[in-house]
């Protein structure tokens, strides 16, 4: 019954976006996509039945719901408010921002867009590109009850678990807290491994104590797939993105007037790696950077 299904647009066919868009299409929604740097995912989706839009504005003209899966707030702003942006179409439309954006920017943008009859919902993601392809992502969604209900069937195409967190902006805040936990673990594991090495404790010994114990978790296991097996695809999330998210969290803490000493420490671990030119490395590779910075192999 694709007759009753809204036209969906998708902007941001990166590591996560490709799998998400493929699932929307597979589940029978009419889909428009747009190329950024990489044409390969666009061509694959068009071959599977998607339409290609040239600009966000053109996509908005053709669609009822537009899903964004871009890097962060600056990219969201340019796609929405640029000269050829979504808002330029002058049409009532729902935007679903699946990026990890700055919550203060999200809430302001939502207010500005509401005046133009455009609804902004934040629906950031947790889990991995493999989950995006399998349609089993975790989604945290912020927005008014009715708006969230309207986009829920689209989210279900790529999500295994959806949590309505509250009004617009709360999804992005929850996502930053979720990433604070995971990036915090990455920084902790990296420092602990380095100190262990100083004492002659190998990663194998370290792992044999932690794995299966109370501090084991799925994030630990993907991190250690790199540490032990050198699987570069264990967790395809760039250190620079971890740094960006921790910087957004710092901005949130500053705006809230809250002390966040642990957040600052985690951000600084990532800042040092990015400053040393390791931003494109994936998060588990932070362990190598922290080791090298302390003279450990």
């Amino acid at each position: 019954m694709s007759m009753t299904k809204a036209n969906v647009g998708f902007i941001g066919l990166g590591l996560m976006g490709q799998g998400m868009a493929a699932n929307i299409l597979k589940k029978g929604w009419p889909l428009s996509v747009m190329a950024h740097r990489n044409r390969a995912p666009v061509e694959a989706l068009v071959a599977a039945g998607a339409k290609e839009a040239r600009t966000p504005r053109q996509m908005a003209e053709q669609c009822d719901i537009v899903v964004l899966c871009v890097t962060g707030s600056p990219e969201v702003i340019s796609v929405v408010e640029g000269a050829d942006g979504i808002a330029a179409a002058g049409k009532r439309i729902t935007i679903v921002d699946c990026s990890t954006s700055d919550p203060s920017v999200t809430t302001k943008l939502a207010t500005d867009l509401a005046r133009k009859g455009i609804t902004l919902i934040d629906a950031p993601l947790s889990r991995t590109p493999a989950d995006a392809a399998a349609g089993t992502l975790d989604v945290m969604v912020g927005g008014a009850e009715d708006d969230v209900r309207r986009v829920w069937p689209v989210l279900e195409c790529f999500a295994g678990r959806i949590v309505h967190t509250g009004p617009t902006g709360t999804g992005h805040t929850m996502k930053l807290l979720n990433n604070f936990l995971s990036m915090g673990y990455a920084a902790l594991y990296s420092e602990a491994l380095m100190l262990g090495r100083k004492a002659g404790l190998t990663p194998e010994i370290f792992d044999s104590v932690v794995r299966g114990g109370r501090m084991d978790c799925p994030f630990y296991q993907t991190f250690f797939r790199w540490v032990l097996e050198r699987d570069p695809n264990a967790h395809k999330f760039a250190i620079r993105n971890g740094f960006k998210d921790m910087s957004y969290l710092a901005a949130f803490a500053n705006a809230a007037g809250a002390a966040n000493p642990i957040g600052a420490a985690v951000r600084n671990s990532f800042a040092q790696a990015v400053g040393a030119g390791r931003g494109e490395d994936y998060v588990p590779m932070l362990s190598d950077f922290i080791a090298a910075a302390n003279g450990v192999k």
Side-chain angles (χ1 to χ4, degrees):
M1 285 271 306
S2 64
M3 296 281 301
T4 61
K5 288 192 167 169
N7 288 312
V8 179
F10 201 105
I11 298 176
L13 301 170
L15 289 172
M16 298 294 261
Q18 304 178 26
M20 294 160 67
N23 275 307
I24 293 170
L25 193 60
K26 215 174 0 204
K27 289 167 193 173
W29 295 75
L31 185 71
S32 296
V33 294
M34 213 182 85
H36 178 43
R37 281 188 290 263
N38 185 0
R39 281 215 54 88
V42 174
E43 277 153 18
L45 289 161
V46 168
K51 289 200 295 204
E52 183 177 356
R54 283 192 317 281
T55 64
R57 177 182 181 157
Q58 186 190 44
M59 183 179 281
E61 285 162 358
Q62 298 165 1
C63 296
D64 312 295
I65 296 169
V66 175
V67 180
L68 310 181
C69 193
V70 295
T71 309
S73 292
E75 292 77 10
V76 170
I77 298 283
S78 75
V79 162
V80 174
E81 304 212 301
D84 262 326
I86 292 169
K91 186 182 151 195
R92 299 185 80 83
I93 190 170
T94 300
I95 300 171
V96 181
D97 181 14
C98 293
S99 323
T100 300
S101 300
D102 177 341
S104 62
V105 175
T106 301
T107 46
K108 183 186 179 305
L109 184 61
T111 306
D112 295 347
L113 290 173
R115 288 197 275 272
K116 302 174 183 172
I118 298 172
T119 303
L120 177 67
I121 291 171
D122 50 326
L125 318 160
S126 184
R127 295 191 179 265
T128 65
D131 292 292
T136 54
L137 291 169
D138 289 348
V139 180
M140 296 144 259
V141 55
E145 201 77 52
D146 290 350
D147 298 328
V148 169
R149 198 176 301 120
R150 193 167 63 250
V151 301
W152 197 277
V154 176
L155 301 177
E156 281 184 320
C157 294
F158 51 77
R161 185 167 64 134
I162 307 170
V163 177
H164 183 194
T165 49
T168 299
T170 57
H172 282 146
T173 305
M174 188 61 228
K175 172 58 181 169
L176 291 183
L177 297 177
N178 194 65
N179 279 19
F180 174 30
L181 295 183
S182 55
M183 298 307 112
Y185 271 131
L188 278 173
Y189 300 155
S190 298
E191 196 166 304
L193 282 164
M194 176 274 293
L195 291 169
R197 270 295 202 208
K198 294 272 190 192
L201 292 162
T202 64
E204 287 73 16
I205 294 290
F206 185 98
D207 179 69
S208 63
V209 171
V210 175
R211 191 174 297 263
R214 278 167 54 88
M215 296 311 298
D216 195 356
C217 67
F219 181 85
Y220 173 87
Q221 292 166 22
T222 52
F223 194 95
F224 271 72
R225 273 225 316 278
W226 165 254
V227 173
L228 299 176
E229 298 163 37
R230 306 318 263 178
D231 174 2
N233 300 315
H235 187 181
K236 292 167 82 167
F237 185 73
I239 286 173
R240 70 178 159 77
N241 282 333
F243 175 52
K244 169 195 72 102
D245 295 349
M246 292 308 300
S247 298
Y248 283 164
L249 186 70
F252 174 72
N254 289 345
N260 69 325
I262 296 174
V266 174
R267 181 186 168 278
N268 283 328
S269 290
F270 280 80
Q272 286 174 320
V274 170
R278 302 290 288 274
E280 294 304 319
D281 286 3
Y282 293 139
V283 161
M285 300 171 188
L286 183 68
S287 54
D288 303 325
F289 171 76
I290 299 288
N294 289 281
V296 175
K297 261 280 173 277

